Amino acid sequence: MVSAWKAVRQGFKLVRRARSAVWVLFAANMLLAIVAGLPIYQGILNFTSHSMMSRNLLTGFSVDWFTDFAFNNGAALEQYAQFIMVMGLIAMPVNAFLAGGVLGRFQRLQERSRLGTFFRDCGRYAWRMLWLMLVALACYWVVFRFVNAGLGKLVDHVTLYWMNDRTAFVAHLAVGVLVLLSLAFVNMVIEFAQIRIVYGEGSGFVESFLASLGFCIGRLPRAIAVYVIPSLGGLALLVIYRLVTPWHLIHAALGDSSRASYEAPLVLALLFIGQQLVMFGRYWFRVATWASEWSFFASTRSPAKSPNESGERAAA
């Protein structure tokens, strides 16, 4: 069994060889984001048209404008919220479906990357990945029902008459941290279950989930390190993006009507490209997390079975 650091290093090497999977994951989610954002963009554009407010919105969010918009388009806001919720529900099975293709790519590193092969792997593992998604949703419900709501209500009752507000705040903060840690643990177990299915050992989603639960508990410190280290890379990208981007220059260029007409579109185009580079980097680290977990899991098992062999076993 390799160490967590070695598994992460191997994972970063794997993702460089499987970068085509990153592109597919990025493109699919970008398409979903475009579809989700288009109605909102059209609504704002129709309401502001080419007025001065449309230019002011480029420099930041306006509470006064939103109040006016909500008053005149209350039904539209409800429709947008429902549409976003529907798109979120669509995104979950789409990403569960794509997970089979991403993980299947790790078995075919010696082969040339082909889009058809990627989607054949997606279809091969689709039903088990979708069932695992439902298991994950059930686990999330348990966390929010018993940890967030149940334990949170108990802490509210216990701290109701405490005189020290700081101590009460720490107690509530501890509940929030416990919820986040519980959700992260569920994600980690589900990802190892996905890997177990594709690797060739899990004949069903229930067996894979329970086996991965035992796998993670039995190797908890190393499993956490393999899961957390690449995941923190995605968060680091967001922090760097926020700190490095010259927001004052961007706002000055967008808010100054005396500048050349091409400057505002150019600044927006450059900002959009930068944001998409950050998003691509986040998906790169997402696949790197899978790859690191794959390397760690593979170090504890015999060589991975071929996809055909895995399918035959699952069918049996």
Side-chain angles (χ1 to χ4, degrees), residues 13-33:
K13 293 178 182 178
L14 278 179
V15 75
R16 285 198 297 269
R17 298 171 64 186
R19 56 186 176 274
S20 59
V22 183
W23 281 105
V24 174
L25 204 61
F26 170 73
N29 282 277
M30 184 178 181
L31 180 61
L32 288 172

Side-chain angles (χ1 to χ4, degrees), residues 43 86 93 101 110 144 152 179 182 187 193-194 223 244 260 272 280 286 296 312:
V86 170
Q110 304 304 324
F144 282 108
V179 170
S182 300
N187 285 337
Q194 292 173 330
V244 172
F272 176 78
F280 180 83
R286 176 72 185 89
F296 180 62
E312 291 170 1

Side-chain angles (χ1 to χ4, degrees), residues 199-220:
Y199 196 81
E201 293 190 13
S203 59
F205 71 95
V206 175
E207 176 190 346
S208 297
F209 175 74
L210 294 177
S212 297
L213 180 61
F215 179 88
C216 292
I217 293 174
R219 302 165 178 82
L220 190 59

Side-chain angles (χ1 to χ4, degrees), residues 46-57:
N46 293 335
F47 188 73
T48 59
S49 186
H50 298 288
S51 64
M52 183 62 69
M53 180 55 70
S54 65
R55 190 176 187 88
N56 293 338
L57 287 175

Side-chain angles (χ1 to χ4, degrees), residues 271-312:
L271 181 61
F272 176 78
I273 292 172
Q275 290 172 341
Q276 299 316 305
L277 288 175
V278 171
M279 291 306 301
F280 180 83
R282 294 193 67 197
Y283 283 111
W284 193 92
F285 279 109
R286 176 72 185 89
V287 177
T289 303
W290 263 324
S292 302
E293 293 166 340
W294 177 280
S295 299
F296 180 62
F297 184 84
S299 69
T300 67
R301 297 295 188 271
S302 57
K305 298 175 175 61
S306 67
N308 291 334
E309 195 176 343
S310 301
E312 291 170 1

